[in-house]
Amino acid sequence: MVFLTIPASAQDIISRLDFGKKDPQPEFFEYSPLDKGLITLGPTNRRTTRFYSLTKYDQEFELQWTEQVFEQNGRRHIDFVAVIGPRILIFISEYFPREKVIKTFYTAYSLEGELEVEKEILSVYPNQKEQKVDLQYTLSPNKRKLLCYKNLQSRKGAEKVLYYLFDEYGEYVSNGEITLNYPDNRYRVRSLRVSNEGNVFMLGKFFVNTRINSADDFKYMIHRYDVVEESMQEIQIELGDRFITDLAFRLDRTENIYIAGFYSNRGTDQIAGTVLQKISRSGELMLDATDPFSEAFLRQYLTNNQINKGKELRNFFLDPEQGIVLRSDGGVLLIAENFFVTVQSYRDMYGAWIDRELYHYEDVILTSVASDGTIEWHGIVDKSQQSESQANLSYFSAIGPAGIFIFYEYQPRRENFDIYYNKISVTGSVEDRKPLLSDYRYGNEFYPRFCEQINNREALMVYVQNRGKMFSVVKVRLDSSD
């Protein structure tokens, strides 16, 4: 049974949708900005995964319609579901053994449940290892362009990216193949974005030498691909003699490129300050600034003696998707998390030695960088998470009218196990953590990677209850006065 309840909570809960142990569990869910509804895709019932159904809910999460959309034959793989304008798009890859090819196609439904496009083929490629890559997608800054892409792998040849572009009405408008003239075993596309105009931008990292001994052993670059002219522009990112731990990039509405991250004077696993560059769409460097961390901030993690010896912070990393936020004044907000892995060895009951890997997700630091590249403030969200599984660790960030919220699963000392959140103001002050839900308990699992901010004031939280027996989606208001 699917039901709607709103429990008491510290943060404003607008609505929620719970799937009980007798209900089929959705494998995909997407928000519909046009009518503020919710779309899910998953098995039609719990007894079998042969048939899959698409289900639509309104903005209050009340059921509107459900439609069986395809039958699984053991060779089909759902790449993803996306909602763009008035259309729901389902992307599927299927292996055809007689032809020995993989075909990727999409099906389109209206928000009212009408089939509008049935199995439109996007690509056909031989069934080779390098072709078995999931189709991924990204949205333009204004959410009106959908870019689907595959990053094909080839150790001997050049890196290739296949792309398929959809417009604001969910119409398939163009496709292409982008060839990057670097060998795949030494080049990596770190992130890919699409502009409001529909052009493709990629941040790449090329390893000049496989063993990194100096900052010159690898290079970062931006590729801008014009989909109309089918032309490529490569922009080298010059960072001097500094090691770069992490870089992320964003596009503004006019295709200006903001590149931001952390640098080190010692190596690629440490950070000593921030990097900010702004590059125009024509490739002109408009801003190039670095700023070291202050001693006051370093003292949060290092002793005075360590600081005097030039020691730097270790194991802080930017998430490529939520690690950089553009500010309206031309500055950026960087969000980094302390992450590392430890190994514990122990003997089992038979005397054999077993290695146990533990993933550690610790503090989240927020760094506000002004439009001239100088650091304005730091905010620290204090947490400590560890587990053998990464699925429910880390954080989810969402930006409200009065600041940014950091959500994470945690049990503070002498407090209840819950999803907690800290609110960080526009001036960097970090409010005390607060629990999100009143009915959260052990056996529940929060999934930050499935959460989504749906507008300037609301976000969707995803978690499972009762050791996986119930799947829950909760809509949260971000402008609470609490």
Side-chain angles (χ1 to χ4, degrees):
M1 177 180 179
V2 179
F3 60 93
L4 180 70
T5 59
I6 304 179
S9 63
Q11 180 78 358
D12 286 350
I13 303 295
I14 303 170
S15 56
R16 63 180 293 153
L17 184 62
D18 296 315
F19 298 84
K21 62 182 181 179
K22 294 182 179 180
D23 302 311
Q25 304 294 288
E27 294 183 3
F28 299 87
F29 75 93
E30 286 291 326
Y31 177 72
S32 170
L34 198 63
D35 64 0
K36 301 180 181 179
L38 191 69
I39 292 96
T40 65
L41 176 67
T44 302
N45 59 65
R46 278 212 167 190
R47 294 187 300 274
T48 176
T49 57
R50 180 178 177 181
F51 298 101
Y52 276 69
S53 291
L54 194 66
T55 304
K56 176 70 168 58
Y57 301 88
D58 64 16
Q59 63 179 337
E60 302 299 330
F61 291 173
E62 295 286 351
L63 178 64
Q64 289 185 303
W65 54 263
T66 186
E67 186 75 28
Q68 185 174 298
V69 294
F70 77 90
E71 180 180 357
Q72 180 60 271
N73 59 12
R75 302 188 305 271
R76 291 175 175 172
H77 170 75
I78 304 172
D79 290 302
F80 62 88
V81 179
V83 180
I84 183 78
R87 275 189 168 179
I88 305 165
L89 304 175
I90 305 171
F91 295 86
I92 297 172
S93 293
E94 182 175 356
Y95 171 56
F96 290 81
R98 288 187 179 181
E99 303 172 54
K100 296 182 179 180
V101 297
I102 298 172
K103 296 181 181 180
T104 298
F105 59 89
Y106 79 96
T107 300
Y109 286 82
S110 71
L111 293 179
E112 291 73 38
E114 299 295 327
L115 178 63
E116 296 186 343
V117 178
E118 183 177 9
K119 293 187 69 172
E120 179 79 14
I121 294 291
L122 291 177
S123 67
V124 180
Y125 274 86
N127 181 38
Q128 298 174 359
K129 182 178 180 181
E130 57 265 26
Q131 315 295 345
K132 296 178 181 179
V133 180
D134 285 355
L135 192 69
Q136 302 178 66
Y137 79 96
T138 184
L139 292 170
S140 60
N142 63 6
K143 311 296 183 184
R144 294 183 179 180
K145 294 286 191 303
L146 172 73
L147 184 80
C148 310
Y149 63 95
K150 280 189 175 186
N151 185 9
L152 302 185
Q153 302 170 359
S154 174
R155 290 186 176 273
K156 296 181 180 179
E159 187 100 348
K160 290 184 179 180
V161 175
L162 308 179
Y163 72 88
Y164 313 95
L165 185 64
F166 292 77
D167 67 13
E168 60 187 300
Y169 304 106
E171 297 282 353
Y172 181 29
V173 292
S174 67
N175 67 85
E177 181 178 290
I178 304 173
T179 300
L180 304 166
N181 296 317
Y182 296 91
D184 187 71
N185 63 338
R186 294 171 62 188
Y187 180 86
R188 293 291 181 272
V189 175
R190 291 176 57 87
S191 56
L192 185 149
R193 303 200 175 277
V194 59
S195 70
N196 291 345
E197 297 181 14
N199 295 317
V200 183
F201 290 75
M202 292 167 284
L203 173 64
K205 184 178 182 180
F206 176 64
F207 294 87
V208 180
N209 296 314
T210 54
R211 293 184 178 181
I212 299 174
N213 297 310
S214 72
D216 295 328
D217 291 338
F218 58 88
K219 296 180 179 180
Y220 286 92
M221 58 200 71
I222 288 284
H223 300 278
R224 178 186 182 273
Y225 185 81
D226 189 307
V227 298
V228 175
E229 298 181 359
E230 298 184 352
S231 61
M232 174 79 79
Q233 178 187 15
E234 181 177 293
I235 304 170
Q236 293 285 342
I237 302 174
E238 300 295 337
L239 298 167
D241 58 355
R242 294 179 173 86
F243 290 92
I244 300 300
T245 302
D246 262 330
L247 277 185
F249 85 105
R250 287 289 186 276
L251 305 172
D252 67 11
R253 297 177 181 177
T254 59
E255 291 194 348
N256 290 318
I257 308 164
Y258 289 81
I259 300 168
F262 299 109
Y263 75 85
S264 168
N265 298 308
R266 293 188 163 207
T268 56
D269 63 341
Q270 304 176 60
I271 60 174
T274 59
V275 175
L276 176 61
Q277 290 190 351
K278 180 180 179 181
I279 302 172
S280 72
R281 60 181 296 171
S282 62
E284 176 190 358
L285 183 62
M286 305 168 69
L287 173 68
D288 182 13
T290 58
D291 200 22
F293 294 140
S294 67
E295 288 191 8
F297 172 65
L298 292 175
R299 286 194 195 99
Q300 302 289 325
Y301 297 98
L302 303 175
T303 65
N304 286 334
N305 188 42
Q306 288 175 322
I307 294 172
N308 292 335
K309 290 182 178 180
K311 191 173 178 63
E312 300 173 351
L313 302 185
R314 284 185 176 273
N315 301 321
F316 279 94
F317 301 98
L318 288 174
D319 184 291
E321 294 305 316
Q322 59 180 340
I324 173 174
V325 179
L326 293 188
R327 300 185 344 186
S328 59
D329 63 356
V332 297
L333 178 68
L334 299 179
I335 309 174
E337 186 173 30
N338 189 211
F339 166 75
F340 57 94
V341 180
T342 59
V343 178
Q344 294 180 350
S345 298
Y346 65 95
R347 279 187 172 177
D348 64 11
M349 59 184 297
Y350 302 104
W353 282 98
I354 305 295
D355 288 335
R356 178 189 180 211
E357 278 194 343
L358 283 177
Y359 298 96
H360 299 260
Y361 288 82
E362 307 291 326
D363 291 358
V364 176
I365 60 171
L366 298 93
T367 303
S368 180
V369 182
S371 59
D372 63 357
T374 58
I375 297 174
E376 293 180 320
W377 53 259
H378 298 282
I380 299 175
V381 174
D382 176 26
K383 67 178 180 67
S384 180
Q385 303 167 301
Q386 67 177 42
S387 174
E388 291 182 77
S389 171
Q390 295 177 279
N392 61 327
L393 302 181
S394 195
Y395 70 95
F396 166 68
S397 64
I399 302 173
I404 187 167
F405 293 82
I406 303 294
F407 296 88
Y408 50 95
E409 187 180 72
Y410 192 47
Q411 183 175 19
R413 188 176 181 183
R414 299 191 181 93
E415 295 184 40
N416 294 329
F417 180 65
D418 207 329
I419 301 172
Y420 284 87
Y421 66 93
N422 293 81
K423 178 182 174 183
I424 299 90
S425 72
V426 294
T427 59
S429 61
V430 180
E431 295 184 2
D432 292 339
R433 65 170 61 94
K434 298 181 178 67
L436 177 66
L437 302 169
S438 62
D439 61 347
Y440 207 77
R441 56 181 59 89
Y442 280 108
N444 293 359
E445 293 183 335
F446 177 50
Y447 289 94
R449 291 168 181 82
F450 297 150
C451 298
E452 179 184 359
Q453 181 163 0
I454 55 180
N455 56 52
N456 291 336
R457 295 181 179 273
E458 296 173 335
L460 297 179
M461 302 291 159
V462 179
Y463 67 101
V464 297
Q465 302 183 61
N466 302 327
R467 301 189 184 278
K469 295 180 180 179
M470 182 179 292
F471 179 91
S472 300
V473 181
V474 180
K475 187 186 295 185
V476 178
R477 181 177 291 115
L478 300 173
D479 57 353
S480 171
S481 60
D482 189 18

